[in-house]
Amino acid sequence: MTPASPANVPATRPTDPRVTTLAARQAALVAALVADAPPPPGFAPEPLAAARAALLRKRAGEVARYWPLLATGLHPRWLEVFQHWAAGRPPAGALREGWDLARYLHGAGELPPLGADELACWQAGYHYPEPGRPPRPRRLPSWGRVGGAIAIQVAGRVRLLRPARRHP
Amino acid sequence: MTGPVGVGIGWRPEIAGFVAGLPGLRFVEVIAESVPTAGPLPAGLTALRERGVAVVPHGVRLSLGGAEPVDPARVAHLAAVADLTGAALVSEHIAFVRAGGLEAGHLLPLPRSREAVTAVCANVARAQAELPVPIALEPIAALFDWPDDELDEAAFLTEILDRTGAHLLLDVANVYANSRNRGTDPLDLLDRLPLERVAYAHVAGGAEQDGYYHDTHTNPVSRPVLDLVGELCARHRPPALLLERDGNFPPAATLHAELDALAAVGGLPGVT
């Protein structure tokens, strides 16, 4: 119980980090778990770290369901690669996250051929012009090309015409 | 309410064929957010409905425990899925999944405070006003607790159930996980919860990693979890038990065995 405050003293001081609204505290907790913000006051750090790692593993599993070839192509380092890339990056949905990761790896010259095949197929089927907005299905016939892989899409059906160059 | 009865299983597209082949099945659960309301139900679910198998839409992203009011569009979607599946009951979690514009990607625990009880009850009331059927609330497995809990788990949950009139969806694996990670006795919790309010119970597998027990839904159901189901049923047998398996799907024979084990420990008719 909080003792009754004198009338001229505010019951809570907004500058006191221990006294804040549930909304603000929930926001601080989520930011600490997914966006590299510092742990909110009072939380034990080890369980929070375990929760952070568990969230990354769950996200990796969800992305691998949308991007099975990318995950397979990175085997046995898939979890490590995903966690390294995703740590501190708030979740954006599995389709987008796999797409962003594939683009990042392509830029770094580390996209495996299977991942290039898969990215080309998604590009043929979906329009994803800018990060921050969800990919949308393409209505017109289209194609995708990544690292030598070429995929085409007609009436919603995607076909990989040529796989990416396999590394020697 | 004619809620779920018997042994059920979480319907997932990957095991739709397996689920369709269970002759004694009377209910399944489906992740509400995975069901598009624009088109027809997935064919597998339609076939189950035609067989008289009850469907319980299970929401995972309403964020009923969020301090902000629940998103009316998400409630409307859950209501539409309930209509589409002819459901007699829906379920969601006592948890929040987003805050401050960020998605957590999973269910997060609330502080067990009076302020949080008020917030979650307000959101449950908002949802109940729009849902065509009753809701059951599921306590989650949490890897951490808030530093300023005022209530223990039983008092926190009972207060929410009393104030909302909601049913309880008791996840036995979550009870087990929390007791292991907190070092508490799961039977104490079972003894203090209003078990007559349980509409159905969840059972799932988990795994130990880095010193914590994780409720993964991708591992086999362990003997201690089955034993805890037995303890639950000895106190008050819920009308239904549901096996949750979300990935790393085993051969059909293994899932059959898990369903049989659930039926045996719960004293319910077999479905395989």
Side-chain angles (χ1 to χ4, degrees), chain B residues 151-240:
Chain B
L151 304 165
D152 67 16
E153 177 111 12
F156 176 72
L157 298 175
T158 304
E159 177 82 15
I160 292 169
L161 295 174
D162 284 349
R163 281 172 58 174
T164 59
H167 297 271
L168 176 57
L169 163 50
L170 185 63
D171 188 315
V172 179
N174 290 353
V175 172
Y176 175 76
N178 289 336
S179 72
R180 268 191 58 171
N181 290 331
R182 291 180 186 142
T184 56
D185 183 352
L187 300 182
D188 281 349
L189 183 61
L190 291 187
D191 285 336
R192 292 185 52 216
L193 285 176
L195 299 182
E196 72 285 354
R197 307 271 292 267
V198 177
Y200 63 111
H202 275 172
V203 184
E208 172 109 20
Q209 182 153 10
D210 301 330
Y212 292 85
Y213 181 85
H214 296 263
D215 177 49
T216 62
H217 298 188
T218 57
N219 296 83
V221 177
S222 67
R223 190 69 239 176
V225 170
L226 279 177
D227 289 343
L228 199 53
V229 176
E231 294 283 354
L232 167 67
C233 293
R235 284 161 177 76
H236 189 99
R237 188 203 314 266

Side-chain angles (χ1 to χ4, degrees), chain A residues 7-80:
Chain A
N8 61 339
V9 176
T12 59
R13 291 173 297 152
T15 51
D16 185 340
R18 291 168 303 177
V19 182
T20 178
T21 63
L22 180 60
R25 299 179 70 210
Q26 288 185 338
L29 179 60
V30 175
L33 288 172
V34 304
D36 261 353
F43 281 87
E46 295 84 8
L48 275 195
R52 197 179 292 118
L55 288 175
L56 283 174
R57 277 196 298 275
K58 179 164 189 262
R59 276 167 73 183
E62 286 166 358
V63 172
R65 281 173 76 173
Y66 273 86
W67 294 82
L69 298 183
L70 176 64
T72 303
L74 289 166
H75 184 80
R77 295 179 55 241
W78 159 247
L79 197 58
E80 179 196 330

